[in-house]
Amino acid sequence: GCTQKYIVKNYFYYYLFRFSAALGEEIFYITFLPFTYWNIDHSVSRRMIIVWSIVMYIGQVSKDILKWPRPLSPPVVKLEMRTNAEYGMPSTHAMAATAISFSFFIATMNQYKYPFELGLVAAFVFSTLVCLSRLYTGMHTVLDVIGGALISAVLLMLLYPAWDMIDHLLLTSPFCPLLSIVVPLVLCYNYPKLDYYSPTRGDTTTILGATAGATVGFWLTNQYTAPVYASKSLELGFPLITSKLVVVLARFFVGILVVLLTRWLMKSVVLGALGYRYRFPIRDLEARRRLEVEVPYKFITYSSVGFTATVIVPLLHELLGL
């Protein structure tokens, strides 16, 4: 559709909130969550990924069940167009920011020595910036943002007492690999149907696919290599020393390069295979939005990304002496 013309009068707010909005999108997930796994703590990363996937699935489905519209433009000026086709309530940016920041804080506060108040403030500031960015960019109402943050907070409180048990089952149950693939696929193929195309189903498939691949990776790592509970050799803790910082950065850039290459390769291969099967050119956007194409394409691509980040990249780090 058409976009309103606007003039930026305060570049500080403009870039602050555009950057904050990106903290609730794929570019942040695909960098921060693997970074935590590679450089901070496996258990922290596992808990964050599980909480994030559950919270995001509930948020995405809630949008398409409630069908509350986004703010009208005018009067607001919308700075994003990709997500404009989605419904508004609840704000999944607010949900993801609240879930990730506070699950990270809760998971690390008893494992690392840092001021409790500092961690709490950091989590609050992170989630608040993302929430405010949704108002600034014109994508959500105040009610959407508050609703998203509250739903996420409630889900986090409900999941927290059980996340040790969930983590243990994901690492040790012989049924984990099968359930990690089958359950997300069933949820994706039975996603609520809309009268028009919305990116919510594709985004949900991306999230569940990445979580499925990562979960299988967690299980394999615990079963066949160093047990995850005792993987201290792969954990650096918070990097405060220059030599450790160099290793952290090396791990990160090597890992991200491999992850991005995996995404590009799998996307090309899977789309090519589906295009051959259903007789459509790869660049046909409408064909790629069909259920029988979108779900397997995104699920296979991002489950490969999750598996690569949790299995292939750590093995590569070990091979390179990182």
Side-chain angles (χ1 to χ4, degrees):
C2 299
T3 58
Q4 286 182 281
K5 294 182 178 179
Y6 58 87
I7 297 174
V8 179
K9 295 182 179 179
N10 190 314
Y11 281 95
F12 173 77
Y13 288 148
Y14 178 79
Y15 288 113
L16 172 64
F17 290 123
R18 292 305 297 268
F19 173 77
S20 300
L23 297 179
E25 298 173 356
E26 180 188 354
I27 186 64
F28 176 72
Y29 305 146
I30 208 171
T31 53
F32 179 71
L33 294 176
F35 177 88
T36 305
Y37 186 77
W38 299 330
N39 293 303
I40 297 179
D41 193 297
H42 287 176
S43 64
V44 172
S45 180
R46 292 195 308 271
R47 286 160 173 75
M48 289 173 61
I49 289 173
I50 296 304
V51 169
W52 166 68
S53 61
I54 293 173
V55 165
M56 287 298 289
Y57 176 77
I58 292 174
Q60 296 284 67
V61 170
S62 298
K63 282 177 183 283
D64 291 337
I65 291 177
L66 293 174
K67 298 182 178 181
W68 288 19
R70 289 185 181 270
L72 293 176
S73 177
V76 305
V77 176
K78 295 186 177 181
L79 305 186
E80 300 175 11
M81 293 308 298
R82 179 187 174 276
T83 57
N84 194 42
E86 298 179 5
Y87 289 107
M89 178 69 175
S91 167
T92 47
H93 273 71
M95 293 183 71
T98 302
I100 288 177
S101 59
F102 281 94
S103 61
F104 181 80
F105 167 60
I106 294 170
T108 59
M109 66 181 181
N110 293 324
Q111 297 191 39
Y112 298 96
K113 294 181 179 179
Y114 62 85
F116 174 87
E117 295 79 7
L118 178 62
L120 183 62
V121 169
F124 180 78
V125 169
F126 179 91
S127 56
T128 299
L129 283 174
V130 175
C131 290
L132 291 177
S133 74
R134 308 316 289 157
L135 303 178
Y136 182 88
T137 54
M139 303 310 296
H140 285 286
T141 65
V142 174
L143 185 59
D144 294 343
V145 170
I146 294 176
L150 288 178
I151 292 171
S152 187
V154 170
L155 289 172
L156 187 56
M157 287 189 291
L158 293 174
L159 289 170
Y160 174 69
W163 71 0
D164 287 336
M165 180 186 68
I166 294 172
D167 187 54
H168 177 74
L169 290 174
L170 291 178
L171 293 177
T172 60
S173 172
F175 303 106
C176 173
L178 178 62
L179 293 177
S180 296
I181 299 298
V182 172
V183 172
L185 273 176
V186 170
L187 293 175
C188 292
Y189 275 108
N190 290 277
Y191 192 82
K193 293 179 174 60
L194 298 176
D195 297 330
Y196 63 93
Y197 178 79
S198 167
T200 49
R201 185 183 65 201
D203 291 345
T204 304
T205 304
T206 295
I207 293 165
L208 294 183
T211 302
T215 303
V216 173
F218 298 151
W219 186 85
L220 282 174
T221 300
N222 188 59
Q223 296 293 321
Y224 297 106
T225 60
V228 176
Y229 287 124
S231 57
K232 298 299 182 183
S233 61
L234 293 177
E235 299 172 11
L236 290 177
F238 289 109
L240 299 175
I241 304 174
T242 303
S243 60
K244 285 189 175 182
L245 181 59
V246 171
V247 175
V248 165
L249 293 176
R251 284 185 172 191
F252 176 72
F253 286 115
V254 169
I256 287 299
L257 178 61
V258 174
V259 165
L260 293 178
L261 285 174
T262 300
R263 184 177 68 164
W264 171 80
L265 177 62
M266 294 305 299
K267 179 178 179 180
S268 302
V269 170
V270 175
L271 272 179
L274 290 171
Y276 178 79
R277 168 66 177 82
Y278 293 106
R279 306 296 180 185
F280 67 88
I282 293 179
R283 297 185 180 276
D284 186 345
L285 184 58
E286 289 301 318
R288 288 163 56 174
R289 290 175 171 178
R290 287 155 43 188
L291 174 67
E292 65 270 22
V293 174
E294 184 177 58
V295 170
Y297 142 55
K298 293 205 169 185
F299 191 88
I300 294 173
T301 298
Y302 284 92
S303 61
S304 301
V305 167
F307 183 83
T308 298
T310 54
V311 176
I312 307 300
V313 171
L315 290 176
L316 182 60
H317 286 162
E318 185 175 357
L319 182 64
L320 295 175
L322 298 175

